[in-house]
Amino acid sequence: MIIARDEIRDLYDAYYGVLDDVDLHAWPDFFTEDCLYRVIPRENHEAGYTLCTMQAESRGMLKDRVTGLTRTQMYAPRYYRRFPTAPRVTAQDEASVSVRHNLLVVQTLVDKQSDIILSAVCHDRIVRDGDRLRFVERVVVFDSEMIPNSLVYPA
Amino acid sequence: MNIPVRPPEGENRRAWPADVDAAVPYWVYTDPAIYAEELQKIWYAPHWLYVGLECELAEVGDWKTTTLGEKPCVMVRSGEDEISVVENRCAHKGVKFCQTRTGHSKELICPYHQWSYALNGDLQGVPFRRGVKRQGGMPSDFDPKDHSLNKLRVEVVNGVVWATFSDETPPFREYLGEKFWKHYTRVYDGRKLEVLGYNRQHIPANWKQMQENIKDPYHAGLLHVFFATFGLFRADQKSAVDIDDEGRHGILISRKGEQEKTEAMADIRNFQGDLVLEDPRVMDVVQEFPGEETVGMITIFPSVILQQQVNSLTTRQIVPKGPGGFDFHWTHWCYADDTPEMRLRRTRQANLFGPAGFVSADDGEVLEMTQQGAAGSPDEHFILQMGGREIAPTDHQVTETAVRGMYRYWRKVMGL
Ligand code: FES
Ligand SMILES: [Fe+2]
């Protein structure tokens, strides 16, 4: 699949922009209808376990994650800011482009110093879906051994 | 009126509220001296501590590191039918010699001076014990038998490994009591278990708060809007609380209802009757255990929660880290003979639990907030009057009885 580097950069700029702005309702739309989204501890990933800290197997489940978060969960107010490295294309075929990059997610709670909540590598697969690029798969494998309490927002 | 529980003068001056069973001072969460005593009188005393699942050690020589109380430990398959739990602290100079979470080796070797231990903790090799060219070496009265790793007593019970630092701990079944043996074997019924994966989080709250949280059914349908909305756990459902004779272990039992507006909803501010899931596969629940109960949340004092919440099965190990925090290690598991569909179902339902769980994240958050409130007022107290002042099993969940039971037991072992 021919996808230009610039387009990939634009996709990530928009994706992380939406998340940093906590525009959660716009988030699921970055994924195809049938997608796989995982935020998974490195130890699980390496052992071949599929158990995740957050998982969605469709855009519907991503929307449910947003619903759960905004309408049912209780959590202290916080800021999340994501620091991705530049995307590196690792494979390409007719259907998709595989991209990898590192990601730091920094959390700031009221009255607290900022904390790294995730130190991760993202294994993404991107496709052209209609008029835009979307993730068909995004697996965020985090090194962090001990999450500082809750992981509230997605990565 | 407060009842002194420490000498009235001096640094450790402490008092207990007069409403003894239904009030608890906040210093139980914050006082470093109390915490230090808890380690000795609870964690290193006659109590069984959760170590891991037997299936985590497949082959002889497989090991897994963990922490019991504050002590680093290793659980090792030391024989075909033998699991040993030893302290991860070299008998020479204290090195925590196993550093990875898991490993496999023929013996345990300390990197510092290469002392080597058999898998059961016996000291086997001390380099240059007899000196080099007749120089140095250990004195003639050095006996390796006196320098094994500290060995814990171990019981493997239906796939779960338990250990204790004390010689006085009764056998595990007796420690549970017959009622809790029944609750335990409802899920840990002897079938082989398999790990699905782990979650780990640090919760900045006193470790007892985690025990209390799962002994407190009152909060479940209120704090957890997700539970209440989808009928997983709600005040108007047929449910029960059981506690053992000592008051230390507890279980919350309930059965799933529907997403419906009932009379009890009037008190649940956040009930979201119109909430629909776009992809309800996460709520695809099957009844797999005998009886009509869909929830059995067991707290085994002091170290673990055994979760059966619909089809999500986990052990949640508590590792205390000072008065103000604990590490929470989740092991999500399935039965070895589960179908692929069942494994997928359990994996999906894990979205409700762990540090990002629709339900469990609420608990971590509210425990941290409780610690924040308590920290500034150690001599104030919280109240535990829901359901009265009795400490007895109930057939409803509008009660804090199991929390009262735990504190009565806690005061007894702490001598307060
Ligand atoms: S400290 Fe372990 S061998 Fe010296
Ligand atoms: Fe809870």
Side-chain angles (χ1 to χ4, degrees):
Chain A
M1 167 157 291
I2 313 291
I3 298 180
R5 283 192 75 81
D6 278 358
E7 284 183 281
I8 296 175
R9 278 311 290 249
D10 288 348
L11 172 71
Y12 281 109
D13 287 350
Y15 180 85
Y16 287 117
V18 155
L19 283 180
D20 283 357
D21 291 346
V22 207
D23 184 6
L24 294 174
H25 293 285
W27 172 62
D29 215 32
F30 282 88
F31 294 81
T32 57
E33 187 62 56
D34 266 317
C35 61
L36 180 67
Y37 174 78
R38 282 180 172 159
V39 180
I40 184 169
R42 178 177 179 150
E43 61 175 322
N44 290 0
H45 189 68
E46 286 181 348
Y49 301 142
T50 55
L51 189 117
C52 302
T53 305
M54 272 188 202
Q55 160 159 311
E57 297 154 74
S58 65
R59 192 192 288 155
M61 281 193 195
L62 292 168
K63 289 183 179 165
D64 294 339
R65 175 55 71 177
V66 174
T67 311
L69 191 53
T70 53
R71 293 192 54 195
T72 76
Q73 281 183 241
M74 193 288 298
Y75 48 90
R78 66 200 60 211
Y79 305 124
Y80 274 22
R81 201 164 291 288
R82 297 155 188 82
F83 297 88
T85 58
R88 178 162 63 91
V89 174
T90 54
Q92 254 184 81
D93 58 28
E94 269 109 88
S96 66
V97 176
S98 299
V99 177
R100 190 177 303 181
H101 65 283
N102 289 346
L103 177 66
L104 275 188
V105 182
V106 175
Q107 163 177 284
T108 309
L109 292 158
V110 175
D111 254 359
K112 296 273 169 65
Q113 294 186 347
S114 303
D115 240 349
I116 293 171
I117 187 152
L118 290 182
S119 167
V121 53
C122 306
H123 303 267
D124 297 342
R125 219 146 53 74
I126 297 168
V127 295
R128 197 177 296 284
D129 185 31
D131 58 349
R132 60 179 287 185
L133 297 186
R134 286 197 165 90
F135 297 106
V136 66
E137 195 174 302
R138 175 165 168 85
V139 180
V140 180
V141 181
F142 60 89
D143 297 339
S144 321
E145 282 277 316
M146 200 56 73
I147 292 186
N149 209 352
S150 322
L151 178 67
V152 171
Y153 297 118
Chain B
M1 191 195 83
N2 287 335
I3 302 165
V5 292
R6 292 278 175 196
E9 302 305 326
E11 252 184 280
N12 287 335
R13 194 170 66 89
R14 287 294 177 216
W16 199 272
D19 196 356
V20 279
D21 283 330
V24 178
Y26 288 119
W27 49 257
V28 305
Y29 293 156
T30 57
D31 187 330
I34 290 289
Y35 174 77
E37 274 188 51
E38 285 178 326
L39 287 173
Q40 300 310 322
K41 293 181 175 172
I42 294 171
W43 293 87
Y44 309 142
H47 293 109
W48 285 102
L49 306 178
Y50 172 87
V51 193
L53 300 181
E54 186 186 11
C55 63
E56 292 177 284
L57 309 177
E59 314 279 335
V60 175
D62 283 358
W63 48 260
K64 172 192 129 154
T65 52
T66 183
T67 309
L68 302 178
E70 288 200 342
K71 296 186 194 287
C73 290
V74 201
M75 146 176 137
V76 200
R77 186 172 286 279
S78 47
E80 216 51 75
D81 291 308
E82 186 190 70
I83 287 185
S84 299
V85 177
V86 293
E87 268 189 60
N88 190 357
R89 173 171 54 85
C90 179
H92 181 213
K93 291 189 76 178
V95 169
K96 181 182 159 189
F97 48 86
C98 286
Q99 287 282 325
T100 53
R101 280 209 191 278
T102 59
H104 177 92
S105 50
K106 289 205 171 66
E107 50 190 358
L108 302 172
I109 298 178
C110 175
Y112 204 173
H113 313 89
Q114 312 271 306
W115 285 26
S116 64
Y117 302 90
L119 295 173
N120 71 356
D122 288 341
L123 177 60
Q124 282 184 324
V126 174
F128 309 134
R129 181 179 159 198
R130 316 233 178 254
V132 177
K133 296 185 182 157
R134 295 198 202 162
Q135 289 177 308
M138 286 305 217
S140 57
D141 63 353
F142 177 86
D143 185 350
K145 281 203 282 301
D146 300 335
H147 302 280
S148 348
L149 299 172
N150 187 30
K151 300 176 186 179
L152 280 74
R153 277 174 64 207
V154 177
E155 274 200 43
V156 182
V157 188
N158 290 358
V160 186
V161 181
W162 302 89
T164 176
F165 287 95
S166 167
D167 291 333
E168 281 145 45
T169 320
F172 182 74
R173 184 167 176 163
E174 214 175 289
Y175 181 71
L176 286 189
E178 276 316 294
K179 273 200 299 186
F180 273 73
W181 177 253
K182 269 218 185 78
H183 296 313
Y184 180 80
T185 52
R186 173 173 169 272
V187 170
Y188 299 89
D189 56 7
R191 275 184 283 170
K192 280 216 168 341
L193 316 181
E194 223 174 273
V195 171
L196 284 173
Y198 303 95
N199 262 310
R200 303 179 201 277
Q201 65 187 130
H202 178 80
I203 299 185
N206 183 266
W207 66 271
K208 293 187 291 304
Q209 277 207 53
M210 195 64 241
Q211 282 278 337
E212 288 178 54
N213 179 261
I214 308 294
K215 293 176 192 288
D216 162 20
Y218 175 33
H219 86 281
L222 294 167
L223 170 66
H224 304 307
V225 178
F226 197 92
F227 266 173
T229 299
F230 294 107
L232 286 174
F233 208 122
R234 215 168 48 202
D236 55 344
Q237 284 153 6
K238 184 141 175 42
S239 45
V241 176
D242 202 3
I243 47 188
D244 76 319
D245 296 340
E246 293 275 10
R248 57 190 171 188
H249 314 311
I251 181 171
L252 311 183
I253 301 165
S254 191
R255 62 182 71 168
K256 185 182 175 309
E258 298 304 320
Q259 182 176 8
E260 58 189 353
K261 192 116 185 145
T262 65
E263 186 205 339
M265 291 304 134
D267 273 359
I268 304 178
R269 288 160 183 273
N270 297 323
F271 178 73
Q272 308 276 341
D274 62 326
L275 198 155
V276 272
L277 293 177
E278 296 261 343
D279 186 340
R281 283 179 289 175
V282 71
M283 294 291 288
D284 165 34
V285 168
V286 298
Q287 187 67 23
E288 61 173 313
F289 298 105
E292 292 188 332
E293 294 78 18
T294 57
V295 186
M297 298 293 297
I298 304 179
T299 40
I300 304 290
F301 190 82
S303 70
V304 74
I305 289 141
L306 305 175
Q307 166 193 336
Q308 181 255 314
Q309 172 53 270
V310 285
N311 306 110
S312 173
L313 307 170
T314 68
T315 62
R316 312 184 189 174
Q317 184 191 15
I318 298 168
V319 176
K321 297 273 168 187
F326 65 94
D327 289 347
F328 207 31
H329 298 265
W330 301 65
T331 304
H332 303 251
W333 60 268
C334 66
Y335 296 105
D337 61 4
D338 274 351
T339 60
E341 292 75 39
M342 194 59 161
R343 284 163 194 253
L344 183 57
R345 178 178 289 113
R346 298 195 202 283
T347 304
R348 267 188 198 131
Q349 289 178 11
N351 271 299
L352 274 63
F353 307 103
F358 290 130
V359 173
S360 300
D362 299 339
D363 289 318
E365 289 292 302
V366 91
L367 265 49
E368 178 172 5
M369 295 178 193
T370 307
Q371 193 74 19
Q372 290 170 347
S377 303
D379 293 311
E380 300 291 329
H381 61 261
F382 58 95
I383 54 171
L384 295 171
Q385 296 178 7
M386 186 49 79
R389 290 182 167 77
E390 297 75 44
I391 297 173
T394 63
D395 57 1
H396 61 84
Q397 50 175 277
V398 201
T399 181
E400 292 171 308
T401 189
V403 185
R404 289 191 288 274
M406 184 185 86
Y407 275 104
R408 185 184 278 180
Y409 179 73
W410 184 85
R411 289 200 334 265
K412 185 174 115 182
V413 292
M414 293 288 285
L416 291 171

